[in-house]
Every structure is written in C-alpha cells, then in structure tokens.
C-alpha cells in the first residue's frame, strides 16, 4: 500500500555536505520525494516537532541539536514507505545499525544520527503537516 513518511536530514549531515549522499540512498531505494525544503528551526519549532519526547532525559539536548543548523525536510512516498525508510535508516544508535544503512554509514552518535523517519502512519501524517501545506506537496 502506498504511504508517505517524513524524512529529516539532520544538522550533522547537512553540515558535513551529506545531503546529496543521503538523498541518493533514498532515491536508490525507490522512495519518491513528493515535497522537500531546507529550513533552520528555532528551538520552539524543534520542541514542537519532538513534543512526544518532552519527558525524555535527552529532550533538551535533542532539541538544541535539531536547531543548531539547517536541516532538509522531505516527504517520501512509496509502497510501505514508513517501514522501508526506517530499515534504510538503521537503528537509532549507529553502533547497533546494520551494515549499509544510512546511520551505519554516516551517523556520529545516538543523537547526531543523520536522519529522522516517521514511526507510524499517524505520526507520519502529523509530521508531514508540521512542515508542509498542500501547495508544497506534489501528487
Ligand atoms: P527519529 O525519531 O529521529 O527518526 O529516531 P528514532 O525513532 O530512531 O529514535 P527516537 O527514540 O524517536 O529518538 C528521537 C531522536 O532522539 C535522539 N536520541 N538521543 N541520547 C539518547 O539516548 C538519545 N536517544 C534518542 C536521536 O537523535 C533520535 O533519533
Ligand atoms: Mg522516532
């Protein structure tokens, strides 16, 4: 079933000029980019995006990191896109990520882990609408 998921290429990756390499892996997987832009979030915008994690011990550090530099946000579309993109990303901690995954190849640590991907259909819909309105989406 065709799905959409929200991808973020995080500040650690944009800063190291890895945007193109990550997008190539996404496109080689067959996921289609249906919306994309570069933004530099405020602390408040990062806190809003990660609101589900606000009680977690890493929330303040995570939201500082996510507004430390520009990110590339994109909506991806394809059959089973949510699970396929999470498989391509690899485990949250790159030490546990499978060979050939984005995080195994590029992540610096459990926080500076290069990419975000939605974890389910409901969060994907909320996350895509957090960054994109209908005029900014193709298809
Ligand atoms: P994401 O939401 O970014 O796609 O990553 P995820 O599902 O694999 O991981 P999640 O548990 O949702 O955590 C969100 C992000 O918080 C940072 N994190 N830091 N210091 C820590 O132990 C820790 N744990 C998570 C990571 O940047 C993670 O991607
Ligand atoms: Mg998550």
């Amino acid at each position: 079933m065709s799905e959409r998921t929200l991808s973020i290429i995080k500040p650690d990756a944009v800063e190291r000029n890895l945007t193109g390499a990550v997008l190539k892996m996404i496109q080689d997987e067959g996921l289609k980019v249906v919306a994309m832009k570069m933004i530099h979030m405020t602390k408040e915008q990062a806190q809003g995006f990660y609101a589900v994690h606000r009680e977690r011990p890493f929330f303040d550090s995570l939201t500082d990191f996510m507004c430390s530099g520009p990110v590339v946000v994109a909506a991806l579309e394809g059959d089973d896109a949510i699970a396929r993109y999470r498989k391509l990303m690899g485990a949250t901690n790159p030490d546990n990520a499978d060979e050939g995954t984005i995080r195994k190849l590029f992540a610096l640590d459990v926080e500076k882990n290069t990419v975000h991907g939605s974890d389910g259909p409901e969060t994907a819909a909320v996350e895509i609408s957090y960054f994109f309105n209908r005029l900014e989406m193709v298809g």
Side-chain angles (χ1 to χ4, degrees):
M1 192 187 69
S2 187
E3 284 179 332
R4 286 179 174 174
T5 190
L6 190 276
S7 163
I8 305 178
I9 304 177
K10 294 184 179 184
D12 67 287
V14 173
E15 205 262 331
R16 289 178 290 150
N17 273 348
L18 293 171
T19 302
V22 172
L23 286 172
K24 175 156 172 54
M25 290 179 73
I26 288 169
Q27 294 187 310
D28 286 351
E29 169 60 28
L31 293 166
K32 183 178 170 190
V33 177
V34 293
M36 183 162 65
K37 61 188 167 191
M38 181 180 277
I39 60 170
H40 189 158
M41 282 189 273
T42 63
K43 177 81 170 172
E44 290 70 27
Q45 289 166 337
Q47 287 170 330
F49 178 71
Y50 278 119
V52 292
H53 291 315
R54 65 184 169 274
E55 305 302 335
R56 307 281 282 276
F58 56 78
F59 180 69
D60 196 47
S61 175
L62 170 63
T63 52
D64 273 350
F65 164 56
M66 289 301 288
C67 67
S68 67
V71 298
V72 173
V73 290
L76 311 178
E77 186 177 87
D79 286 340
D80 207 18
I82 295 168
R84 278 169 63 205
Y85 186 47
R86 286 188 71 87
K87 187 160 188 284
L88 180 65
M89 294 195 309
T92 310
N93 186 334
D95 292 342
N96 304 327
D98 289 342
E99 293 297 330
T101 60
I102 293 170
R103 284 168 167 166
K104 185 68 171 189
L105 284 166
F106 301 128
L108 299 175
D109 57 43
V110 68
E111 179 175 88
K112 296 179 174 57
N113 61 0
T114 306
V115 277
H116 164 84
S118 307
D119 60 13
E122 292 80 18
T123 41
V126 170
E127 290 177 359
I128 289 169
S129 63
Y130 192 76
F131 293 111
F132 298 105
N133 65 39
R134 286 178 60 185
L135 274 174
E136 296 173 304
M137 312 269 312
V138 300

